[in-house]
PDB file of all heavy atoms in Angstrom:
ATOM      1  N   ALA A  10     -17.569 -16.542  12.395  1.00  0.00           N
ATOM      2  CA  ALA A  10     -16.883 -15.938  11.243  1.00  0.00           C
ATOM      3  C   ALA A  10     -16.001 -14.770  11.678  1.00  0.00           C
ATOM      4  O   ALA A  10     -14.820 -14.711  11.317  1.00  0.00           O
ATOM      5  CB  ALA A  10     -17.918 -15.441  10.239  1.00  0.00           C
ATOM      6  N   LYS A  11     -16.573 -13.873  12.513  1.00  0.00           N
ATOM      7  CA  LYS A  11     -15.788 -12.712  12.973  1.00  0.00           C
ATOM      8  C   LYS A  11     -14.571 -13.122  13.808  1.00  0.00           C
ATOM      9  O   LYS A  11     -13.487 -12.570  13.665  1.00  0.00           O
ATOM     10  CB  LYS A  11     -16.683 -11.774  13.782  1.00  0.00           C
ATOM     11  CG  LYS A  11     -17.616 -10.939  12.926  1.00  0.00           C
ATOM     12  CD  LYS A  11     -18.444  -9.987  13.774  1.00  0.00           C
ATOM     13  CE  LYS A  11     -19.411  -9.191  12.950  1.00  0.00           C
ATOM     14  NZ  LYS A  11     -20.438  -8.521  13.763  1.00  0.00           N
ATOM     15  N   ALA A  12     -14.810 -14.113  14.690  1.00  0.00           N
ATOM     16  CA  ALA A  12     -13.702 -14.603  15.531  1.00  0.00           C
ATOM     17  C   ALA A  12     -12.581 -15.194  14.649  1.00  0.00           C
ATOM     18  O   ALA A  12     -11.393 -15.013  14.915  1.00  0.00           O
ATOM     19  CB  ALA A  12     -14.212 -15.621  16.522  1.00  0.00           C
ATOM     20  N   SER A  13     -12.986 -15.942  13.614  1.00  0.00           N
ATOM     21  CA  SER A  13     -12.006 -16.522  12.692  1.00  0.00           C
ATOM     22  C   SER A  13     -11.186 -15.446  11.980  1.00  0.00           C
ATOM     23  O   SER A  13      -9.980 -15.560  11.841  1.00  0.00           O
ATOM     24  CB  SER A  13     -12.702 -17.411  11.656  1.00  0.00           C
ATOM     25  OG  SER A  13     -13.416 -18.461  12.287  1.00  0.00           O
ATOM     26  N   GLY A  14     -11.930 -14.395  11.586  1.00  0.00           N
ATOM     27  CA  GLY A  14     -11.268 -13.258  10.925  1.00  0.00           C
ATOM     28  C   GLY A  14     -10.239 -12.590  11.823  1.00  0.00           C
ATOM     29  O   GLY A  14      -9.103 -12.292  11.435  1.00  0.00           O
ATOM     30  N   ASN A  15     -10.635 -12.370  13.094  1.00  0.00           N
ATOM     31  CA  ASN A  15      -9.765 -11.768  14.067  1.00  0.00           C
ATOM     32  C   ASN A  15      -8.484 -12.627  14.343  1.00  0.00           C
ATOM     33  O   ASN A  15      -7.402 -12.114  14.451  1.00  0.00           O
ATOM     34  CB  ASN A  15     -10.469 -11.489  15.380  1.00  0.00           C
ATOM     35  CG  ASN A  15     -11.471 -10.350  15.241  1.00  0.00           C
ATOM     36  OD1 ASN A  15     -11.351  -9.497  14.378  1.00  0.00           O
ATOM     37  ND2 ASN A  15     -12.493 -10.362  16.093  1.00  0.00           N
ATOM     38  N   LEU A  16      -8.750 -13.942  14.417  1.00  0.00           N
ATOM     39  CA  LEU A  16      -7.601 -14.891  14.590  1.00  0.00           C
ATOM     40  C   LEU A  16      -6.664 -14.773  13.370  1.00  0.00           C
ATOM     41  O   LEU A  16      -5.430 -14.750  13.553  1.00  0.00           O
ATOM     42  CB  LEU A  16      -8.140 -16.308  14.655  1.00  0.00           C
ATOM     43  CG  LEU A  16      -8.287 -16.935  16.029  1.00  0.00           C
ATOM     44  CD1 LEU A  16      -8.954 -18.289  15.916  1.00  0.00           C
ATOM     45  CD2 LEU A  16      -6.912 -17.089  16.702  1.00  0.00           C
ATOM     46  N   GLY A  17      -7.246 -14.724  12.165  1.00  0.00           N
ATOM     47  CA  GLY A  17      -6.454 -14.617  10.966  1.00  0.00           C
ATOM     48  C   GLY A  17      -5.566 -13.373  10.969  1.00  0.00           C
ATOM     49  O   GLY A  17      -4.354 -13.453  10.686  1.00  0.00           O
ATOM     50  N   ASN A  18      -6.163 -12.228  11.363  1.00  0.00           N
ATOM     51  CA  ASN A  18      -5.407 -10.989  11.364  1.00  0.00           C
ATOM     52  C   ASN A  18      -4.291 -11.042  12.440  1.00  0.00           C
ATOM     53  O   ASN A  18      -3.204 -10.490  12.190  1.00  0.00           O
ATOM     54  CB  ASN A  18      -6.352  -9.782  11.647  1.00  0.00           C
ATOM     55  CG  ASN A  18      -7.284  -9.529  10.493  1.00  0.00           C
ATOM     56  OD1 ASN A  18      -7.005  -9.918   9.375  1.00  0.00           O
ATOM     57  ND2 ASN A  18      -8.379  -8.872  10.759  1.00  0.00           N
ATOM     58  N   THR A  19      -4.573 -11.676  13.541  1.00  0.00           N
ATOM     59  CA  THR A  19      -3.522 -11.774  14.612  1.00  0.00           C
ATOM     60  C   THR A  19      -2.420 -12.682  14.181  1.00  0.00           C
ATOM     61  O   THR A  19      -1.235 -12.356  14.358  1.00  0.00           O
ATOM     62  CB  THR A  19      -4.198 -12.310  15.908  1.00  0.00           C
ATOM     63  OG1 THR A  19      -5.371 -11.535  16.196  1.00  0.00           O
ATOM     64  CG2 THR A  19      -3.222 -12.212  17.074  1.00  0.00           C
ATOM     65  N   LEU A  20      -2.754 -13.803  13.528  1.00  0.00           N
ATOM     66  CA  LEU A  20      -1.717 -14.717  13.029  1.00  0.00           C
ATOM     67  C   LEU A  20      -0.854 -14.045  11.977  1.00  0.00           C
ATOM     68  O   LEU A  20       0.341 -14.269  11.873  1.00  0.00           O
ATOM     69  CB  LEU A  20      -2.348 -15.995  12.490  1.00  0.00           C
ATOM     70  CG  LEU A  20      -2.915 -16.950  13.566  1.00  0.00           C
ATOM     71  CD1 LEU A  20      -3.914 -17.951  12.952  1.00  0.00           C
ATOM     72  CD2 LEU A  20      -1.799 -17.697  14.274  1.00  0.00           C
ATOM     73  N   LYS A  21      -1.508 -13.188  11.156  1.00  0.00           N
ATOM     74  CA  LYS A  21      -0.751 -12.447  10.142  1.00  0.00           C
ATOM     75  C   LYS A  21       0.323 -11.590  10.779  1.00  0.00           C
ATOM     76  O   LYS A  21       1.485 -11.572  10.366  1.00  0.00           O
ATOM     77  CB  LYS A  21      -1.700 -11.567   9.322  1.00  0.00           C
ATOM     78  CG  LYS A  21      -0.986 -10.744   8.240  1.00  0.00           C
ATOM     79  CD  LYS A  21      -1.851  -9.562   7.752  1.00  0.00           C
ATOM     80  CE  LYS A  21      -1.860  -8.420   8.763  1.00  0.00           C
ATOM     81  NZ  LYS A  21      -2.664  -7.284   8.286  1.00  0.00           N
ATOM     82  N   ILE A  22      -0.066 -10.861  11.849  1.00  0.00           N
ATOM     83  CA  ILE A  22       0.868  -9.992  12.566  1.00  0.00           C
ATOM     84  C   ILE A  22       2.027 -10.812  13.156  1.00  0.00           C
ATOM     85  O   ILE A  22       3.159 -10.344  13.222  1.00  0.00           O
ATOM     86  CB  ILE A  22       0.147  -9.139  13.623  1.00  0.00           C
ATOM     87  CG1 ILE A  22      -0.817  -8.177  12.929  1.00  0.00           C
ATOM     88  CG2 ILE A  22       1.121  -8.366  14.495  1.00  0.00           C
ATOM     89  CD1 ILE A  22      -1.880  -7.545  13.857  1.00  0.00           C
TER      90      ILE A  22
END
Side-chain angles (χ1 to χ4, degrees):
K11 283 182 182 166
S13 299
N15 289 336
L16 261 174
N18 290 339
T19 310
L20 287 162
K21 179 198 77 179
I22 294 164

